Structure formats: C-alpha cells, structure tokens
Amino acid sequence: MEELVIRDADVVDGSGGPSYRADVVVDKGRIVSIVQEAAAAGCQRPKARRELDAEGLALSPGFIDMHAHSDLALLRDPDHSAKAAQGVTLEVLGQDGLSYAPVDDRTLAEVRRAITGWNGDGDDVDFGWRSVGEYLDRLDVGFEGRGIAVNAAYLVPQGTVRALAVGWEDREATPRELERMRRLVAEGMEQGAVGMSSGLTYTPGMYAKDAELTELCRVVASYGGYYCPHHRSYGAGALRAYEEMVALTREARCPLHLAHATMNFGVNKGRAPELLSLLDDALAAGADISLDTYPYTPGSTTLAALLPSWASEGGPEEVLKRLTDEETAGRIRHDLEVVGADGCHGVPVEWDTIEISGVTDPGLNDHVGRTVQESADRRGEAPWVTARRLLLDDRLGSTILQHVGHEENVWAIMRHPVHTGGSDGILQGAKPHPRAYGTFPHYLGRYVRELGVLSLEECVAHLTARPAARLRLPDRGLVREGYRADLVLFDPATVAAGSTFDSPRVLPTGIPYVLVDGRFVIEDGRRTDVLAGRAVRRTP
C-alpha cells in the first residue's frame, strides 16, 4: 500500500490549464498516480496508509524561488519557515554574482565581509568547503547531517570567480586570468551548478567588460546552463542595460534569465512596456529569455551598494579607508547626491526613499525602520553625514529598503509569458523586506484573488513549471505521475502573506500543507522537524 493519498484536491497542475478534482497518490517521494473524479466514478478509489482530506484546498507543485539569498540560512536554520511556510520547495542560490564557492581562504574571507548584509557574518557556519561541488555536498549533509528544509540549486557567482582569479581591482583580466575564470566556471558547472550569476552593480563583478562576460557565458552554454545577471542599471540606464544582456547572451548563444527584472526610480515610471517590447522582439528572433520578479515596489540591498564603483574598488577595507578620508568622502557624496552614482543606478540619491532595514551592530538599532533622511533630521545633520557614519560604524553591514518602484510596472512585467517568481529575500536585519517571508502567498492572495492580475492557474504556472523548465528539471514543476512529490496545498480563498513592512517576519496564512520529497515539512499549518531538502544538481 502506498504512503499517502491526497483526497479530493483541486489540482492546479502547473501547466496553466484548468484545474480539476482528483485523488493524488504519493509513495517513496514521487507521485505514483492521479485519479480524476470523472475517471473514478464507479471505480474503487485509491487507498494508502495515510489519507489526507483536501476538500476546499488547491494542490499545486511546490513553488520555486528563482532568486534566493539563503546560501547560509539553509545551513544554520533547520526550521527555515521563512520559505517553507510559503510553499517554497526549491530555492536558487548563488545570486547577484557573490556567494561562497568557488573560493580559496583569501577570497572566502573577502566575500564573507562583502555580503555580510545579505547573509550575516557566518560565524556559526563551518566553512569546510571551497569548490562548488563541496558546497553542494554540504547542502546534502545539511543541519547536523539531517538535510535542509527545502531543496536548493546553485549558480556559479561570476563576481566571486573574478575575485578568485583577478582580485577586486577595476581592470581587464589578462588572458591567463580569463582562462582561469573559464576553467572555474566549467568546474562549477561540471560539479552541478545550473548556471552563472552576475552582480553588475557590485564589486568586483561590475569590472568585467562584455567580452569577458561573453566568454564565460559560452562556457555556461556549453554545459546547458543559463546566465542570470543583476545587470548594470535598474534606473537611468535600465533599458540600455537590458539590451546589453540580450545582445551579450545572443552572441554567446547562452540562455538568459533576468534577475529581479524591474523598472525603478522616477525616470522609469510607466516604462515597463518598453522593456517588454524589447524582450518580445528578442524572443521573436529566437532568443531564449526568462525573468523573475517579486510582487512589491521597494527593492532591497546594502547601503554600501549605493556607492560609486570607483569607491568600492579593492574590497571592503579599501572602501572604509576612502570613507574615512574627508576629501575622498566629499567626492563620494558629490557622485551620490549630484551626479548619480552607478551604484545607485545613475540616479541622484533621494535619502527619503532609503530605509534602514538592518544593522550588524546592535548599538545602531535606532536607525532601523527609519529612512536616512528621518535619522538625519532626528540628529540635526545632513543625510550624507548620517549615511557616512552608519557605513563606517556598521562596517558596511547595513541593509536597506529602497522605495523606488512603480505598481504599474510590477503588474505589466508579472503578466509576461516568460515571467517567474523570485523573492530576492534577504533574511538578515531587524526589519527585512517582507518579500523574504511573503512573496509567493502575496502573488496568490493579492495579485490573483484580490486584483485579478493573473488567473490562479496562470500564476501557479509562473511559480512552478516555468522555473522548472528554465532549470531543466525533468521531474519537477508539474503535478504528473512519476514527478517528485514536492507539493503545496493552499486555500485559494484565504491564502495571504502575513508579512508587512511594519511586521516583516510574520508567516503566511492559508497554506496548511507543504511536502518536500513526499514528506510533510508543513503540516496543519505548522513546521514539522522534517529536513527533506537536498542539493539539486544540473541535469545533463
């Protein structure tokens, strides 16, 4: 007798087609049979050791978070309800060109410093790996040898590769260094990575010219992977940046997945149709393109990310030295407030849109939840003075929310046929972006049920089958016989994000059951102690 039958579920199978009523039977981590109501009429219904009454609930494939920052969280937090409670059963890590493999001792220390704001300092993590394969093996082992909360795939981070082969300097790679980067990317792909990411507004990845990126993309394409760039601008130069990525990957013949594809800042209000027209033209010409977004208007990053690239050259210690020097700090301020720093996407910074969401030094908690402008006003000083002091005192570890998005752009982009869901969820800080805890139920509750921007079936396809196709996973993303039993049961009438900007760590409602590999990680709305997640390696 099989392990589980989910009885009378409204199956939203991920294909985008109409839902249907069925009994779904699960055994040994896979879906072994689906008996639709019409086919079962007059027939004996399937039995199993356990039966779950799913009356009134939708059953869908597990949601795939195409842009996650859980690289350390999965290892340090066995609960990981931030994602598991949303129905996420697979996260894609190694984003924005910076993560923890491949590294040597020097690079690991530098990367840990550079992305403390994303993932914490990692003092509670045993960094016993150095290669991509060793990191994926570590995910398989997971917490105390028991696995991880949800599955995880990995992108080779181009910025980390450049730090390892070239360093943090703003210069072209030598032929020997480029060959080493090609080899590092190839090794990462061979060891199971699904593609390569870049953070082209973050050092040192931003120092790579298009020719260098094209060569690395050729390697990725040869292994059947995809390129996932955080491109060079989401502000004043956004459309040029998108065009650059489309042209670059077409030359390399590499599939392209645009990370958190937004059109932000005042200069881009209402301009999403221009982006979508660009993508439609490329798709019609044969390009292989997909994208992900989160269903919110503010973005999230580190305060240090706003600095001009010249001020970030050399790594975190050099940045701190420049901020300490009065003359150099004055130049940084001029670029931020007058010119529009490339780190701030070419738009002069508006301090009243920059909200401090987290700090690494508890003594600075008074800033959290306030914009830089508000903190400066309380102190009777210019906002640059407040921002500079915070950067120095928190040693570049502060995270921010950037309130620069436009709802009409969010709607337009999420409707596009190549769209997928990604939280870009930073789990650090006292007041993280609510997308970390709420992205997927927010799609289902607000944009499906309340606003009707997408139908339920179409939205589920965006969150399941489409990302699985981009990842080339042959047995995930659909409710089909033989597929992995990574499944979500939710109530379409009540599903909603609990997280808000004021209370961002509240879990969602209306998602009572989540299965990973056929095992309940969420049961009756509560987290179990099951750790069924593993590393998901590239499928040849």
Side-chain angles (χ1 to χ4, degrees), residues 32-67:
V32 295
S33 67
I34 302 170
V35 182
Q36 293 195 39
E37 187 176 46
C43 302
Q44 184 176 5
R45 300 184 74 177
K47 297 183 181 296
R49 286 192 290 272
R50 175 177 177 182
E51 294 189 6
L52 175 62
D53 182 4
E55 180 70 35
L57 297 178
L59 172 67
S60 81
F63 305 137
I64 297 176
D65 189 342
M66 287 295 286
H67 193 106

Side-chain angles (χ1 to χ4, degrees), residues 389-448:
R389 182 183 296 118
L390 187 56
L391 286 163
L392 288 168
D393 291 349
D394 209 26
R395 297 187 63 78
L396 312 181
S398 303
T399 52
I400 62 170
L401 303 183
Q402 214 167 354
H403 296 271
V404 292
H406 307 286
E407 186 73 7
E408 66 269 35
N409 288 347
V410 172
W411 284 34
I413 294 170
M414 75 167 61
R415 285 182 168 129
H416 197 275
V418 301
H419 168 267
T420 67
S423 71
D424 195 13
I426 295 175
L427 300 169
Q428 294 297 118
K431 289 190 70 176
H433 197 303
R435 67 193 185 193
Y437 284 72
T439 288
F440 296 87
H442 199 50
Y443 268 118
L444 296 169
R446 178 162 174 76
Y447 289 92
V448 172

Side-chain angles (χ1 to χ4, degrees), residues 134-171:
E134 289 168 346
Y135 175 67
L136 295 176
D137 290 343
R138 181 70 177 82
L139 290 174
D140 281 337
V141 171
F143 187 80
E144 296 180 348
R146 297 189 293 125
I148 51 180
V150 302
N151 297 307
Y154 190 73
L155 297 165
V156 179
Q158 172 258 330
T160 300
V161 166
R162 197 172 212 272
L164 186 55
V166 180
W168 297 74
E169 295 79 32
D170 182 3
R171 64 173 177 82

